[in-house]
Amino acid sequence: MNGMRPEPGALRPDRVEGAVLSSSNEPELRIAVLGLGLMGSFHVDALTRRVRGSRVVVVNDFLSDKAESMARAIGARSVADPLAAIHDAEVDAVLIASPGDAHDAQVNACLDAGVPVLCEKPLTTDVASAYAIVRKEAALGRPLVQVGFMRRFDPEYVALHELITSGGLGNPLMVHCTHRNPAVADHFNSEFMIRDCVVHEVDVARFLLDEEIASVQVVRGVATSRAPAGVSDPMLVIFETTSGRIVTDEVYVRSQVGYEVRTEVVGEQGIATIGLDQNLQLKSADGRWGGAIAPGFVQRFGTAYDIELQRWVDAARTGTIDGPGAWDGYAAVAVCEAGVEAVRTGAKVDVRLERRPLAEPEPGITAPDLEAARP
Ligand code: ISE
């Protein structure tokens, strides 16, 4: 993709709606992957084996042995300094899966280099730095920053979004979410549960209802005996949107059961539910019946991650993004900050959003063409 890297500040390239740009004649998008933990390794595998039109050319991790062995396995180079990896002359686009506190510097470096970036959540770890990215991107005049809210690409969420936007439920009045993990590490305290888990429902609510969240309240009830002292697990988070709609979210990360992510939208003319694990139903000789619950988010959202990457790669080849952008990342950070304050104080906390720059791309994504996007 020589010559592909756009100049910072260049005009936004025309977007080819719905087009699958990958073909054997097109040069591959050369990607640097920063951070090779669970998500980074999963994405390297997807970009190498499942996504069309992409090649991981540079990998980076603070554990240099890990990066070197990954580089050897896929025929890439390991670059020890993440900022050098971003500015590497061979790199057309960057995928950030490093720890959250590294995102600010890395996303800024991508904007400086003028390369499209897919950044796993959080965009940054504080509101001011997230908004600074929104403004910096707006000043460039074209969207380069995509945030990894993969649920927007999950076929069930896409169907629910389409149902709402086509008016199939009438006016959506309330949304009820459930977010349960079977088990987590001890560092998942109440505040981390907001930033790391509830952040997905923040984005889901904004995506489905197409409006901002105005306030957050957290109700802390009886905790499971498996939670460390002082940790409220489960919690009930209540959002109110700017138009007054209510969104509830039960977050329970030590359920012992499985990975359950459900969303129910209650409308004036219907109620729709997704995430019911309605897969193979088996009746067995010992008198039991039922299906299987995904053990974790990689299994539950594997297809969504792959569709997200394919669409991002196709967009990045034209120098842009195709999914939740910097504003969505900023709004999620702002809501989570209010959520953390709500956990600490027990109060209903208002969300304060700065002005949205005019040059910022439209919120969310249009319903994707799932067949075309499928890797
Ligand atoms: C994890 O970090 C994720 O992003 C998953 O999607 C989420 O469901 C899980 O609870 C988080 O810990």
Side-chain angles (χ1 to χ4, degrees), residues 76-232:
R77 279 182 297 123
S78 151
V79 174
D81 175 5
L83 302 188
I86 291 166
H87 288 284
D88 190 288
E90 211 196 349
V91 167
D92 301 314
V94 177
L95 192 155
I96 298 178
S98 52
D101 56 7
H103 292 186
D104 183 18
Q106 295 176 357
V107 173
N108 271 290
C110 292
L111 289 175
D112 292 338
V115 290
V117 52
L118 175 58
C119 178
E120 282 295 345
K121 52 87 182 161
L123 176 58
T124 70
T125 52
D126 69 282
V127 188
S129 59
Y131 188 59
I133 287 173
V134 169
R135 294 192 58 177
K136 184 165 174 166
E137 184 195 59
L140 288 179
R142 65 200 174 91
L144 286 176
V145 180
Q146 182 165 332
V147 181
F149 290 126
M150 77 299 182
R151 291 194 195 173
R152 295 190 187 209
F153 299 90
D154 170 67
E156 286 190 73
Y157 276 104
V158 169
L160 185 57
H161 182 252
E162 274 173 1
L163 185 65
I164 295 169
T165 52
S166 66
L169 294 180
N171 187 16
L173 306 173
M174 277 198 178
V175 181
H176 299 295
C177 306
T178 306
H179 185 148
R180 298 192 189 127
N181 292 29
V184 292
D186 278 355
H187 70 273
F188 276 70
N189 60 25
S190 310
E191 296 178 9
F192 193 75
M193 285 162 64
I194 301 281
R195 293 188 210 274
D196 197 65
C197 308
V198 174
V199 63
H200 285 291
E201 280 77 37
V202 170
D203 188 62
V204 159
R206 295 181 64 255
F207 174 56
L208 293 179
L209 299 176
D210 195 21
E211 60 173 327
E212 298 296 351
I213 292 171
S215 71
V216 194
Q217 208 177 337
V218 178
V219 181
R220 312 171 70 158
V222 175
T224 168
S225 56
R226 293 194 164 82
V231 174
S232 292

Side-chain angles (χ1 to χ4, degrees), residues 18-34:
V20 176
L21 299 179
S22 324
S23 86
S24 49
N25 298 330
E26 298 261 1
E28 289 168 318
L29 182 80
R30 299 168 307 178
I31 299 168
V33 176
L34 314 182

